[in-house]
Structures are given as structure tokens and as C-alpha cells.
Amino acid sequence: MIAPTLTTARLTLRMPQMADFPHRRDFYASDRSIWEDGPCDALLAWRYFASEVGQWPLMGFGPFSVDETATGAYLGEVGIYQPVGYPEPELGWFVVPAAEGRGIAAEASRAVMIWARKTFGWDHIDNYVDPGNTRSIALALRLGGKTINAPGADPTDMVIRHDLRALA
Amino acid sequence: MIQGLRPQLIGLPVLETERLILRAPIVSDWHAFRDYRASARTAFTGGAKEEHEAAEQFASFFGHWVLRGFGRLIAEDRATGAPLGHFGPMQWQDGAQVEMTWSLWTAAAEGRGIATEAARALHEWAFGPLGLTSARAEIHADNAASHAIARRLGGQISPDIQPRWVAQGAVYLFTGTAP
């Protein structure tokens, strides 16, 4: 099982490939990764990346790499993650610095939520967000998510729930 | 796991030996791998890990297959179907020399030449159908059983090469010519 290709107005979401790794490595080398168990070296970044991609054959869902359709440029990764310890599948996102502030993660997330609803019939999907990660919280709320009192990946996580029932 | 879906790796090599079947990892290998990864058997390979770290490594085996087209094989006992350990090439960085890895997951699997049998099959596949022309293995100084396997596969210690992650280790080079 690998990712299907999803398209939106500006974006193509597809199965990750090795050429995407340098973007994830650079993210994990930077302070931008402080909310995602970073910063860390390239070796651990590879472990993270490969384990995320490995969700596809293990779980039937996982990360999509996000390309700008017009240019083919890699913009980030949006997908569904459920490593051991996550109470439910989680909606997660990452964009490269150049893609910030353009609504890329929101546009890709909507496509992933529609796909998840259609494929799995889920009623909802949650984000697990560190309370200090204000940008992610703002995005989750902008997407229509509601903060709920439920366990996340870490005891301190905020859990923001998206109702999928109106989709597809 | 999603009900009704059977996400698995497909179209992958299967190596058969007298007592073993070596195949790509499957979901049902998880518990055996988790128990191995939590055990003292990992003393030479990074130490015991908590469940979430073990799961991350397990998932990375699958991701490696997807991203690279090759990866760790799981040696399964022909007689019982039990997964006994992992044996396989890995390459974490583009252009880096491929690294051979092997581990038996339980003490019960030791002492019968299982690891050598699996490692020989791995070696033949890696330097045959897979098309490798060189590979390395990093082995902890005190891991005598693993040193013996590396030598049986024709590995030569390269004192000039620094190990990447086994700090107190030796680096063996393989060129595909097993004695």
C-alpha cells in the first residue's frame, strides 16, 4: 500500500520518495523542529522519515509529500500518522520555510481529510499539538478544529478535533 | 490497523535456505521485534529501547523498503513460522556505502548456526540479484558471534574507517567474495 495521488487547486499530494529527505533533514537540523522532537542529526532524521513512510505498508495511511503543481517544487508533508503510543490516527503537517504563510498546509490538509473520510469512513481526525506550537494551533483552529479534552501523543498535548462527517 | 485493508509490502524477494525463509517484514513480526528490542540482547546494537522507539525502528524497516527498494529481511523458521531475527542491507544516506545488519531476536535461536545460515543467504542475494559490489558492517568489539559471521562472509576489518554508530566497533568491508 502506498499513497494515492491527490490534487487540489495548487497542489499535488503524492507518495514520499528519497529525494524529499533533504527537506526533512534540514527541518530536523533547525530550531523549527522543536515541537517535533527536534532538533536532531541527519541519522535520526532518516529514522523519523523512514518510519513515517513505513506507515503506508504497516497501516494503510501515512504521509503525503506536497508539491506545487505549477512548478513541481516540494513544499512539505501532510498526512496521517499513528506510531505506537498514539491513541488514534493523527493529522500532521510540515511545510518548508518558503511555503509558509500561503495556506499550503491548510489546502493539503483539507484534501487529506476528504481522502481519509472517503477511504476509512472516520467521523473525526485529531491533531496532537504542543501547547507552545502556536502556528500549528492557529492552523488547526482555522481548519475548523475544536479543542477537546482527550489524550494525545504526550500528556501535555493539546488535542484538536476535526469533524469529518460533512466531508464526502 | 484498518479493518478490511491488508497493507503489506508486495513483490519482494523471498530467500529460502535449509531451515529458514527470509522475507520482507510483515506486521505480525512486531511483537517478536519489540521483545527483542526491549531485551539485553541489544547490548551491542544500541541498547534496550522503549516500545515507541522500537516501533519507530520497526516502521523504518518498512519505510526503507518503500524508499530504497531493498531493506531488512526477516528470517522465519521454516518449521514453526516464527520470526527469528533480521538480516539485511540498509542505506540511510544517498551515496553512502550499504551496511549489512544482522540480529537474532531470541537466545532460543542461538547455537544452531541459524545466524550464519541466514547471513550467507543475505550475502548471496545482496551481491547477486540485488547487485551490490561492496558493503560494510559495524560490529561492537565484544560481539564475538557477530565478528565470526563477518569473517565467514569474507569480511575484512578496515582499521582506517571510523564506525558511524557503534563507537567501540570495528568496520568490516565485504566485496562479495565469500570463502
Side-chain angles (χ1 to χ4, degrees):
Chain A
M1 172 84 188
I2 62 163
T5 297
L6 312 177
T7 55
T8 68
R10 292 177 292 172
L11 307 173
T12 301
L13 284 67
R14 56 159 176 84
M15 183 69 190
Q17 58 194 30
M18 210 47 230
D20 304 331
F21 175 61
H23 299 288
R24 301 292 285 155
R25 181 197 59 206
D26 292 349
F27 168 72
Y28 277 113
S30 78
D31 287 339
R32 300 179 73 233
S33 65
I34 52 172
W35 310 118
E36 312 284 342
D37 299 326
C40 68
D41 64 14
L43 194 57
L44 194 50
W46 157 251
R47 169 74 63 81
Y48 288 152
F49 180 63
S51 70
E52 287 165 11
V53 174
Q55 298 250 301
W56 280 107
L58 274 167
M59 309 295 288
F61 53 74
F64 294 84
S65 288
V66 179
D67 289 340
E68 184 171 49
T69 305
T71 62
Y74 175 93
L75 300 182
E77 182 183 295
V78 174
I80 300 172
Y81 308 82
Q82 192 180 17
V84 165
Y86 278 33
E88 293 190 18
E90 193 228 354
L91 175 68
W93 47 63
F94 148 79
V95 294
V96 297
E100 280 189 350
R102 297 168 47 199
I104 300 296
E107 186 171 323
S109 293
R110 284 192 199 95
V112 170
M113 286 194 281
I114 291 168
W115 173 79
R117 172 68 178 169
K118 237 191 293 197
T119 307
F120 306 120
W122 295 337
D123 287 343
H124 66 264
I125 190 159
D126 298 342
N127 303 115
Y128 305 141
V129 194
D130 188 290
N133 189 354
T134 51
R135 290 187 71 116
S136 262
I137 292 167
L139 172 55
L141 298 175
R142 209 156 57 236
L143 282 166
K146 303 271 188 286
T147 304
I148 61 160
N149 187 13
D154 290 314
T156 54
D157 278 345
M158 274 179 73
V159 178
I160 303 176
R161 176 157 293 182
H162 303 267
D163 190 338
L164 303 183
R165 285 172 297 186
L167 303 176
Chain B
M1 182 96 77
I2 304 301
Q3 287 299 318
L5 269 181
R6 293 184 174 276
Q8 299 278 6
L9 297 165
I10 53 168
L12 301 169
V14 175
L15 316 182
E16 302 200 29
T17 69
E18 192 189 337
R19 293 174 292 173
L20 303 170
I21 294 174
L22 286 88
R23 47 145 183 88
I26 56 178
V27 173
S28 57
D29 296 328
W30 161 240
H31 290 114
F33 180 76
R34 178 198 60 193
D35 293 349
Y36 152 73
R37 204 57 252 195
S39 76
R41 299 185 59 74
T42 56
F44 299 131
T45 55
K49 297 280 190 250
E50 290 189 31
E51 186 169 13
H52 75 274
E53 289 174 291
E56 199 168 86
Q57 190 182 4
F58 186 66
S60 77
F61 285 8
F62 288 76
H64 193 291
W65 272 102
V66 172
L67 290 163
R68 295 275 187 217
F70 62 89
R72 260 66 141 234
L73 298 163
I74 308 303
E76 185 179 295
D77 186 324
R78 239 180 215 286
T80 65
L84 302 179
H86 66 264
F87 297 80
M90 70 164 189
Q91 183 187 33
W92 71 275
Q93 190 178 41
D94 281 346
Q97 188 171 44
V98 169
E99 186 169 334
M100 292 296 191
T101 67
W102 50 73
S103 283
L104 282 180
W105 293 349
T106 65
E110 281 186 358
R112 296 185 283 139
I114 295 286
T116 299
E117 188 172 320
R120 281 197 198 282
L122 160 66
H123 190 268
E124 279 174 28
W125 169 66
F127 287 98
L130 186 60
L132 296 188
T133 54
S134 77
R136 69 164 66 182
E138 296 189 10
I139 303 176
H140 193 284
D142 299 333
N143 192 351
S146 194
H147 282 273
I149 291 171
R151 284 193 298 270
R152 277 181 216 127
L153 297 181
Q156 301 284 334
I157 288 187
S158 290
D160 301 337
I161 304 181
Q162 287 303 308
R164 278 190 289 246
W165 40 47
V166 184
Q168 310 93 322
V171 175
Y172 282 84
L173 287 184
F174 303 95
T175 55
T177 48

